Amino acid sequence: MSEARGEILSKIRTTRTSPNAAKNILGTMQARIRDHSANLIPERGQRPADERVAQFMAEATRVNATVTRVAGNPDIPREVARFLTDNNLPSRIKQAPSLAHLDWSETMLTVSQGVGDAADEVCVTSAFGGVAETGTLVTYSAAENPTTLNFLPPVHVVVLKSKDITGAYEDIWVRLREALKNKDQSDNFMPRAVNFITGPSRTGDIQQTLLLGIHGPQRLHIVIVDDKTP
Amino acid sequence: MEQTTETFTANARRAMANETLQVELARLSQGFPQRRQQAADRMPEFEALRDQARDIKNHVLANLDLYLEAYEAKVIAMGGQVHWARNAEEARAHILKICKSVDAKTVTKSKSMIGEEIAINDYLEKNGIAPIETDLGEYIIQLRNEPPSHIIAPAIHVSKAQVEADFRRVHTDLPIDRNLDDPTSLLQEARGQLRDKFLQADVGLTGANMLVAETGSNVLVTNEGNADLTYALPRVHIVIASLEKIVPTLEDATTILRVLARSATGQDMSVYTSFCTGPKRPGDPDGPEQYHVVLLDNGRTELLGSEFEEVLRCIRCSACMNHCPVYKAIGGHAYGWVYPGPIGAVLTPALMGIDGAADLPHASTLCGKCESVCPVRIPLPKLLRSWRTRHFEMQPARSPGHLALAAWAWIARKPALYHKVNGLIIAMLGAFGRKKGRLKWLPLAAGWTSKRDFPAPMGDTFIQQYHHGARGDASGQWLRRQQP
Ligand code: SF4
């Protein structure tokens, strides 16, 4: 290993009050990482399950997202088409492979699938979860979930199952570890990118005025589905 | 970034005369504190969360070597590489080497204070690689060839009219007669200009708000989404971060996120919070092929275990400057280096040496507002005082400051002499100014009297009055002897 590494680490070690304690400390540190206990979770992240969807919708709306709730998977294409027509938006969409099961035949939309590119105008993706605390969507990168779809297009529509709306961010970590740890039986579960998205892109860099849609999407539309099937 | 801390007084004077800047600063010092307060009010547990954020950072600082090793091991396990840098020069060399290895022509950059600290842009340019700032504020100041003047709103000093003029000057491929009156049209133009740059870049360079030891991830917080396009599109993602950015677990990162945006912009959560871990996985349809982290010390290990250690808890939220009466009056550039405001006044002398930055710790009223809003409870006023003391002690024993204080101490230790001298001074000042009640000029105090009059003493010293029998009445009012 590099000279710089050795020097930096040994410099830090000299500030330790009791070098003999290093072994104990190492144990404590490893336990802390292994246990990854939650710290204080505020009340707003711990509301009862039946309040969470409403809380999520209120918080997401507060940060300039739009939200609708539909009964089941068959309603999703219809809702996406309605949203696009009502807002005078293009009818060419790109969907994430995770939504390949949707049947768009009833709509007039032109649908393609793949990673995001410069020509995309509207992308439709699915979320791993939602956090009621702040109306935050959570997605992660995977074969069926290209990261670029979340950031390149000016209009982003996200499908979120109501049962995946949790109270606090901590619940997301618990679910994520469970969902991915089992795959390789190691603790190297973290996907390449985990993205928390709270409303559409914004900036205050011109005259401290709030403007939406600088680099990421200008519009974020969330479709909450009550369907219980996976 | 070039350091101009030595000319602090002149910088400050210039800033106070800059009308555009003053308008923007007035706007800032209204908006940010108000929004922070509203966010805190919406979170009853805010104070308790601040305590926890402080404790997490303290725990890491106390065990930094172990956490760095754990973090490094995890980055490697996830397919990334870690490069250690003792100073700015080593960090720049690492970054250049990685860029050269993929024959990079352009590097997109998402705002990084460490990037400013090591002046990476100039260095890349000198080596034939074009760095492109993608945060809108950073993009604007890059066009203007200026340093940032605020840590989260780098172009706070630039007016809308100036942005428009800069865009017209630089975006010459667009029609001359286009309408840019509306801020939205400026936004659209910047979006369009930067879009191609994102797609063409060979390397994406980001900072890190945190590094998570548990997972080997770096955390990026933005409102624009520029960091995400910076790491997701190019072939190589380089993270440049300083050592103290480590947190143990995802849960700890979460706690800090709960206080970060609320303290910074008054949002409950910034729009995009991203956890990046290693390069593209098998099956991933997008993402970088290489993932590098450059870990920078640059003087931080010297602060560990020193009286300034607490400053390493800083999460760069900007609350301290947003609430600072001095920052509000002079803005960020006057502070002369990367970090302005109270945090800069403590950190700059620590990282760059007190010699050239001695004015900074003195540019404070010690009103305590910064400490009261700092999410990780850094005792900034105490640290500012420590710098003042240190700087005083470093001055040669025959400096004017030392001599004056020594003379005062000598007299003060002799009560009889002290009262005589005091009485004499009061009598003299009274003789000069009693008629008008004020003095227009005082020897050795022109700094005061050039701006405002000094009130003339109207009677004797306290002790003289006491001896003459003046006493407080029952209501606590001081009964002064009639003036002759
Ligand atoms: S010192 Fe505290 S208030 Fe200032 S930027 Fe750092 S964390 Fe924020």
Side-chain angles (χ1 to χ4, degrees), chain A residues 75-113:
Chain A
D75 304 312
I76 297 171
R78 218 174 300 137
E79 165 54 24
V80 174
R82 180 211 60 82
F83 165 73
L84 296 177
T85 324
D86 284 4
N87 292 289
N88 245 333
L89 295 166
S91 59
R92 238 168 33 88
I93 67 170
K94 186 178 276 174
Q95 69 173 0
S98 61
L99 293 172
H101 59 88
L102 293 179
D103 177 7
W104 296 94
S105 59
E106 241 185 68
T107 68
M108 306 285 283
L109 302 175
T110 320
V111 182
S112 63
Q113 195 168 296

Side-chain angles (χ1 to χ4, degrees), chain B residues 1-5 7-8 11-12 14-15 18 21 25 141 144-150 154-158 327 330-341 360:
Chain B
M1 173 178 161
E2 200 189 327
Q3 192 183 352
T4 61
T5 45
T7 53
F8 176 80
N11 303 351
R14 214 175 314 122
N18 179 339
L21 175 67
L25 286 174
I141 59 170
R144 300 171 62 79
N145 204 7
E146 284 174 343
S149 67
H150 187 275
I156 196 89
H157 59 283
V158 187
Y327 180 92
I330 63 175
H333 286 160
Y335 288 85
W337 197 54
V338 178
Y339 304 101
L360 299 189

